[in-house]
Amino acid sequence: MLTFFFANNYKSLVNFRVEFDRTNVLIGRNGSGKSAVFGLLASLQQFILGRGRTTDYFSTNTLTRWMKSSVQTFEFGVKVNDKEYVYHLELEYNLSTAQCFVALESVVCSGKKLFSSAKGEVSYLANDATQSSMLRVDRAFSGISYVANGIQDNEVLVFMNEVAKIVFCSINPRKMQDHVSSEAWLPDLEFSNIGSVFSFLAQVNPDAITHLRDQLRQIDPSLERLKIKMGYGNWKSLIAEYRYHDYPVEFCLSELSEGERMVIALYILLFGYLREGHTVFIDEPDNYVSLREIQPWCIAVADACVDGGQCIAISHHPEVIDYFGNDNGIWISRLNSGESEIKKKPDSEQFKDFMKLSELITGGFLDENE
């Protein structure tokens, strides 16, 4: 699970640090920095996993406008069992060419440096975890991805595997595809590959699909099941089968409403990932869904996180804010000077008997710029 995150000289994030629990909801006005946290962590994940160059995820436009430094610093922690792994990255920009390179990168666990890279010189613990090995790497890429390709059993791989398990989602029902080209282990950012994810889970975790079906039938008893259907030329599609007038009727996913597609995606995340111990960082899970639909999902998410999952959400929805915000809300405010900061938990004790947290926010009783 994610334990903390630090960023400096990235957009409005200046010496910005946030601590995470099993469940959190990021609260704040538009432009406060919530999406910057989400997007930056998602970019760092892809970069660490070797899925692109520095310039694929970072640019001079992400430097904080009022700072003179050309170095960005990022850090986050992930906890695996009882061990915390801390990742550190410093990017250095050449402002004349708009290029950026890795100046420093490291992974530390319990005070032991497992991996470090300084200006292309990489050192890491070998497979027996006692001797260091050295190599030179292209500074436009993460050195960890080079190391991971050459080791078989190392704590760096434990860190990499945990990072790979984090699911970042900003679900867009309009981008969801019926067609299943191949199985996918994780959802993509907009969950456009929902059919491929469902096909994968149906093979490796059929219990999750059973729980998904049972939950969706509680929401709509006419829904019989979701299934992958073969068509001509090995064409596969995600199909929703309903029963109307005691007769089975099939619909492609694209024929369902956006709200129905959103609900299906939310419960795939719940049963396929949160229940399996993954971290899910989701941007506005309440989009397209009704109050009666988001409330039971929040309750089920809380239960799944007690059992080992982690859910971090960005939300403006009153139900999500009131359910998670009182105990696990992270209040992000944009100061008049431009920086984002974590505000202390709003003191709502004097209002709690007659006003909800969302009502305090709506009524302006909690001034973000104090």
Side-chain angles (χ1 to χ4, degrees), residues 273-293:
Y273 298 95
L274 283 171
R275 287 277 184 90
E276 299 300 315
H278 286 250
T279 290
V280 173
F281 199 143
I282 182 168
D283 188 7
E284 300 198 42
D286 39 78
N287 282 342
Y288 303 97
V289 298
S290 68
L291 177 63
R292 291 184 62 186
E293 292 167 329

Side-chain angles (χ1 to χ4, degrees), residues 121-269:
E121 294 282 350
V122 171
S123 65
Y124 62 98
L125 293 181
N127 290 332
D128 61 5
T130 59
Q131 294 182 341
S132 293
S133 297
M134 297 286 297
L135 73 156
R136 289 192 60 85
V137 299
D138 186 337
R139 294 176 59 200
F141 293 89
S142 168
I144 299 182
S145 59
Y146 286 94
V147 170
N149 290 329
I151 57 179
Q152 298 175 342
D153 184 17
N154 185 282
E155 290 208 73
V156 173
L157 286 181
V158 176
F159 165 77
M160 291 279 284
N161 290 336
E162 190 67 16
V163 170
K165 287 172 56 180
I166 303 174
V167 179
F168 292 93
C169 260
S170 182
I171 304 173
N172 186 349
R174 299 175 183 176
K175 294 290 185 69
M176 292 180 181
Q177 300 175 4
D178 298 327
H179 176 55
V180 179
S181 57
S182 61
E183 280 68 44
W185 177 48
L186 294 175
D188 59 24
L189 189 62
E190 293 185 303
F191 221 145
S192 62
N193 64 341
I194 186 170
S196 298
V197 169
F198 181 90
S199 180
F200 175 82
L201 290 175
Q203 295 184 50
V204 303
N205 192 354
D207 287 344
I209 300 302
T210 299
H211 292 313
L212 172 66
R213 179 201 64 199
D214 293 345
Q215 180 63 50
L216 294 178
R217 292 190 68 182
Q218 289 184 34
I219 298 171
D220 185 352
S222 64
L223 176 63
E224 288 285 303
R225 58 175 175 156
L226 297 174
K227 63 181 182 180
I228 301 295
K229 186 176 181 178
M230 296 292 298
Y232 295 107
N234 292 324
W235 180 273
K236 295 191 293 183
S237 297
L238 178 57
I239 300 294
E241 181 181 304
Y242 291 81
R243 181 163 291 274
Y244 297 131
H245 301 287
D246 203 32
Y247 184 81
V249 181
E250 294 181 349
F251 295 91
C252 293
L253 187 73
S254 59
E255 296 179 283
L256 305 182
S257 72
E258 292 170 350
E260 289 173 312
R261 281 176 263 169
M262 186 74 179
V263 169
I264 290 171
L266 288 176
Y267 281 101
I268 287 178
L269 289 176

Side-chain angles (χ1 to χ4, degrees), residues 307-323:
D307 295 334
Q310 182 185 30
C311 184
I312 303 167
I314 298 173
S315 182
H316 298 280
H317 195 284
E319 189 65 32
V320 179
I321 290 172
D322 291 334
Y323 194 84

